[in-house]
Amino acid sequence: MKAKKVFKRLAAAAGIVAAAGIGETVYFYNRTMKRGHADTERTTKMSGTDWEQYFPLMEERKEYALAQEHRDVYITSYDGLKLHATYFPAIKKDSNKLVICFHGYTGEGLSNHMAIADYFLKRGYAMLLPDARAHGESEGEYIGFGCLDRKDALEWIDWAVEECGEDVKIMLYGTSMGGATVLMASGLELPDNVKGIVSDCGFTSPKEVFTHVLNDMYHLPAFPAIPGADLINKRLAGYGMDECNAKIEVQKAKVPILFIHGSADTFVPCSMCQELYDNCASPKRILIVEGAAHAESYYKDMEAYEKALTEFAEEIM
């Protein structure tokens, strides 16, 4: 009888633990992977970057950029979603340079790239600023974390070539999730129009960056939340959280890549950038901005950042 009672108690305890694990997994998944639950303010706090100090510069740059000619454009993704972007034609009408800028997690194309738009527009680039699926004005319920967005990037490249002509020279530029997107795209068969890729604080894979956040920022184990969320995501969103890993994709890269990262990034550790750089098979450059937090490198050392961009562009364009 005692043995039966002990067994029942153990079974009940196991059931409670299992239920708690399921609850933790579902909570993590809904909070992280689904549109409407992933919160910009929460993400900003987690990133650890003090953005308030840069607001005056952002507003000044925004005023300049929005004064230039621009319009909304739309395409249909490979899986039937209506995707949105903002397009800025080149100020210099004879220019054949275009940059496609991919934003970070919970961001939007237009709002996230107003500062860097000053650099690109004044140097003769046309700009295409997509909203990632499940962000901004683009459709979608599940966030792609680069794994799905890299396929959308191919569609935007096709749109750019059709809009700007066969001689257009394209740079892919991305920050954080956008950086992961362009690095994951590097392993695909890209048109010859794509001359180079710039990744600012990109991560290796959703699984690895989530594991880092849970372990280092929340002091929680990755199990069961990450494996559980992976199973849910495969069923609902159609991809595994380590199905596309940027450090594997860059081993297949053919176009030159510029890697940028802040040394003080606690959200996506700088070690990921070094790992990505070490695995890259194509011509490569790297810029580590000392003291820069997540996605802060451009603001922390604008001179070094723009110098690296200009030298890279002169090489690839």
Side-chain angles (χ1 to χ4, degrees), residues 150 183-190 197 243-255 257 279-282:
R150 68 179 187 145
L183 292 179
M184 291 176 183
S186 73
L188 301 174
E189 286 296 324
L190 298 172
I197 291 171
E243 184 175 304
C244 186
N245 192 308
K247 69 185 173 192
I248 296 173
E249 296 306 308
V250 296
Q251 294 173 15
K252 299 178 280 185
K254 297 176 182 178
V255 300
I257 301 177
N279 276 276
C280 182
S282 63

Side-chain angles (χ1 to χ4, degrees), residues 65-274:
L66 293 182
Q68 311 308 312
E69 178 187 351
H70 61 282
R71 71 179 191 271
D72 295 317
V73 295
Y74 298 90
I75 61 170
T76 301
S77 70
Y78 67 94
D79 53 352
L81 298 177
K82 185 179 181 181
L83 303 179
H84 166 265
T86 306
Y87 175 60
F88 288 78
I91 296 173
K92 298 177 181 179
K93 298 305 179 185
D94 59 343
S95 173
N96 67 341
K97 298 186 298 183
L98 178 138
V99 60
I100 308 178
C101 299
F102 298 88
H103 64 78
Y105 177 58
T106 71
E108 294 182 10
L110 185 61
S111 62
N112 283 194
H113 294 113
M114 287 294 89
I116 199 70
D118 188 88
Y119 171 87
F120 285 118
L121 291 174
K122 289 180 178 177
R123 284 163 179 79
Y125 288 82
M127 294 187 73
L128 183 64
L129 313 178
D131 290 338
R133 57 175 54 218
H135 290 75
E137 294 184 38
S138 289
E139 293 180 343
E141 183 177 359
Y142 302 103
I143 296 171
F145 282 102
C147 300
L148 301 182
D149 307 297
R150 68 179 187 145
K151 299 176 184 178
D152 299 332
L154 291 180
E155 303 287 349
W156 285 119
I157 292 167
D158 288 344
W159 180 92
V161 173
E162 185 175 342
E163 172 70 21
C164 301
E166 293 292 335
D167 66 338
V168 66
K169 296 179 179 181
I170 298 172
M171 178 192 293
L172 304 181
Y173 172 93
T175 303
S176 192
M177 187 181 79
T181 296
V182 296
L183 292 179
M184 291 176 183
S186 73
L188 301 174
E189 286 296 324
L190 298 172
D192 292 339
N193 305 83
V194 178
K195 302 301 181 183
I197 291 171
V198 179
S199 171
D200 184 340
C201 63
F203 52 77
T204 49
S205 75
K207 179 182 178 181
E208 290 183 359
V209 77
F210 292 155
T211 299
H212 162 74
V213 168
L214 285 176
N215 290 344
D216 287 31
M217 299 183 72
Y218 289 97
H219 308 291
L220 293 171
F223 183 86
I226 301 299
D230 185 56
L231 290 173
I232 296 171
N233 207 54
K234 285 177 181 176
R235 185 172 183 84
L236 297 181
Y239 72 95
M241 293 170 67
D242 203 35
E243 184 175 304
C244 186
N245 192 308
K247 69 185 173 192
I248 296 173
E249 296 306 308
V250 296
Q251 294 173 15
K252 299 178 280 185
K254 297 176 182 178
V255 300
I257 301 177
L258 168 61
F259 297 87
I260 302 173
H261 218 102
S263 68
D265 192 337
T266 57
F267 196 40
V268 178
C270 192
S271 58
M272 277 195 183
C273 182
Q274 190 62 55

